Amino acid sequence: MKCKRAYIIFIADNKQNRINKFNIENILNELSMLCDTANYKVIERYSFIQQKIDSRTYIGKGKLESIKEKAIIDKVKYIIFDNELSGSQVNSIEENSDIKALTRTEIILEIFAMRAKTLTAKMQVELAFLEFEYPRLKGKRTNLSQVKGIIGLRGGAGEKQLEYDRRRARERIHKLKTQLNKVERVSKVGRKSRENTFRIAIVGYTNAGKSSLFNLLCKENIYVEDKLFATLDTHTRKLYLSNDAPVQVIISDTVGFIDRLPHTLIASFKSTLSEVVEADLLIHLIDSSDKNIEEKIIKVENTIKEIGASEIKSLSVFNKIDCIDEIQKDKIKILYNNPIFISAKNNINIENLRKIILNTILELNKVEY
């Protein structure tokens, strides 16, 4: 598939507290990774610190004109903003540049749409997209039928396009919510049937290696790829810990978290995230080689709190230990209590992790073993 050529842009005003060069670089790095996953080729990265955000074009007419001229030379058709834009701002940018304007949220939604394999995941993604797009319809001139992944029909006689789009979106949102509520009820029955088992959920930042660990622990072969959001659907399997283990254990591999994960996605993936909320133990898997490890740990912890799972016992498991030196390892030991070091890729310390999981289960269940 041919990559779509794009510029990525982050704009901050002086009121923002994340405008130092290090943070801007991290923001653009992650946006670049998202773009790569969504099949966009990043040709140039821009960052601007402005005294005041332009209410019409967000970026300012002068900067936009310069980008337009360069885009002609670079054959760039997309500008992707880390910032959120209103529908009217999207229109203004596109009218003044002849370049398609997208946001970070839309790129994440595109990735989720690409990754969705099951009917449930596809419905969840469509619902998230519609709920994101609905408040922006008023300002945008693109009608809903032209939006990728959305079912579009022609409006009735005399019905304005905006009125039709909003009505159609409301109807589709209602239908999807009804269908997903049915899925959730079925899932609840399934989870209720597992009430006598101990439930574990693997959580972590996207691309931390959750599916690799899941495969190793469960001797499974679910899809693994070195890309963001390779897993959308929750996989649940029995976990073997010991011949004499007094409890039956199941473990779930869950969707990865990311900084500023769109709220519409969190809401739409409620049934998927229920595996986290209803778990007895969380394995917080962390990429120990990540340069932004501390920031990403905080992001995951905040998301866990947001979905109502912060009171659940959690083990901090640092993956990719084979990719770091002793200095980084010592730093992790200083910063975090009882870190568990593993390599899912190279099967390092996995048996030790099994023992720690079993001991934690016994401790939580107050069972002598």
Side-chain angles (χ1 to χ4, degrees), residues 19-222:
I19 59 174
N20 63 66
K21 288 183 179 180
F22 178 75
N23 282 342
I24 289 174
E25 190 67 18
N26 289 343
I27 288 164
L28 289 174
N29 284 343
E30 185 160 277
L31 182 56
S32 182
M33 287 178 65
L34 288 166
C35 289
D36 178 62
T37 303
N39 202 37
Y40 290 87
K41 183 177 181 180
V42 176
I43 305 302
E44 190 73 71
R45 299 153 58 122
Y46 294 94
S47 61
F48 303 108
I49 299 173
Q50 300 185 172
Q51 293 295 326
K52 186 179 179 182
I53 298 299
D54 187 281
S55 60
R56 181 171 167 77
T57 64
Y58 205 92
I59 189 173
K61 199 168 182 179
K63 291 187 181 75
L64 190 59
E65 185 62 33
S66 297
I67 288 172
K68 176 184 176 180
E69 292 173 3
K70 192 171 188 305
I72 294 170
I73 299 168
D74 291 340
K75 297 180 180 179
V76 163
K77 301 296 182 183
Y78 299 89
I79 310 175
I80 300 168
F81 288 79
D82 188 82
N83 315 80
E84 290 304 327
L85 305 173
S86 67
S88 59
Q89 285 169 338
V90 169
N91 281 335
S92 294
I93 292 166
E94 292 179 351
E95 285 175 356
N96 287 281
S97 68
D98 297 321
I99 308 172
K100 177 74 175 173
L102 297 170
T103 66
R104 181 181 187 275
T105 295
E106 288 171 291
I107 298 300
I108 293 174
L109 289 169
E110 275 194 38
I111 295 168
F112 269 61
M114 289 165 52
R115 299 297 196 205
K117 303 300 180 188
T118 65
L119 179 60
T120 298
K122 289 176 181 178
M123 287 193 297
Q124 289 170 324
V125 172
E126 186 182 352
L127 176 59
F129 195 97
L130 281 168
E131 291 195 317
F132 167 76
E133 196 67 23
Y134 183 80
R136 303 166 84 230
L137 286 173
K138 188 174 181 180
K140 292 181 76 173
R141 289 188 176 84
T142 302
N143 65 57
L144 203 58
S145 64
Q146 294 173 299
V147 178
K148 182 181 177 183
I150 302 300
I151 297 171
L153 298 172
R154 295 186 181 276
E159 187 174 24
K160 290 182 180 178
Q161 187 65 51
L162 174 61
E163 293 170 354
Y164 171 72
D165 281 347
R166 290 172 72 88
R167 178 175 62 81
R168 178 64 175 148
R170 286 195 302 270
E171 290 171 355
R172 184 65 180 159
I173 287 169
H174 176 73
K175 184 176 181 180
L176 287 167
K177 283 184 174 179
T178 301
Q179 291 173 324
L180 287 170
N181 282 336
K182 289 180 182 177
V183 171
E184 173 61 11
R185 285 196 293 272
V186 172
S187 298
K188 274 187 176 179
V189 172
R191 290 195 294 271
K192 194 169 184 179
S193 68
R194 305 196 300 255
E195 279 184 349
N196 293 327
T197 62
F198 191 92
R199 292 170 291 187
I200 300 172
I202 305 175
V203 299
Y205 213 81
T206 182
N207 210 30
K210 295 182 297 299
S211 295
S212 295
L213 177 60
F214 180 86
N215 284 340
L216 204 56
L217 289 173
C218 302
K219 296 180 172 59
E220 285 288 330
N221 191 32
I222 64 169

Side-chain angles (χ1 to χ4, degrees), residues 37 115 207 209 211-212 222-231:
T37 303
R115 299 297 196 205
N207 210 30
S211 295
S212 295
I222 64 169
Y223 180 70
V224 174
E225 186 182 2
D226 188 22
K227 292 275 189 180
L228 304 182
F229 303 114
T231 301

Side-chain angles (χ1 to χ4, degrees), residues 287-326:
D287 180 354
S288 61
S289 66
D290 197 302
K291 293 178 182 178
N292 307 312
I293 183 171
E294 295 172 46
E295 184 180 338
K296 289 186 177 179
I297 287 172
I298 292 170
K299 300 298 182 188
V300 171
E301 289 174 346
N302 287 342
T303 304
I304 289 170
K305 185 177 181 180
E306 185 176 351
I307 64 175
S310 58
E311 298 301 315
I312 300 170
K313 171 74 175 178
S314 178
L315 298 177
S316 296
V317 179
F318 291 81
N319 192 23
K320 307 183 185 180
I321 190 64
D322 47 324
C323 299
I324 65 171
D325 56 24
E326 288 300 318

Side-chain angles (χ1 to χ4, degrees), residues 228-260:
L228 304 182
F229 303 114
T231 301
L232 286 193
D233 298 295
T234 298
H235 300 87
T236 300
R237 299 289 186 273
K238 287 184 180 180
L239 174 62
Y240 171 78
L241 293 172
S242 166
N243 286 330
D244 301 318
V247 288
Q248 182 176 320
V249 181
I250 58 172
I251 188 166
S252 298
D253 175 31
T254 62
V255 63
F257 300 152
I258 197 168
D259 183 21
R260 290 170 288 145

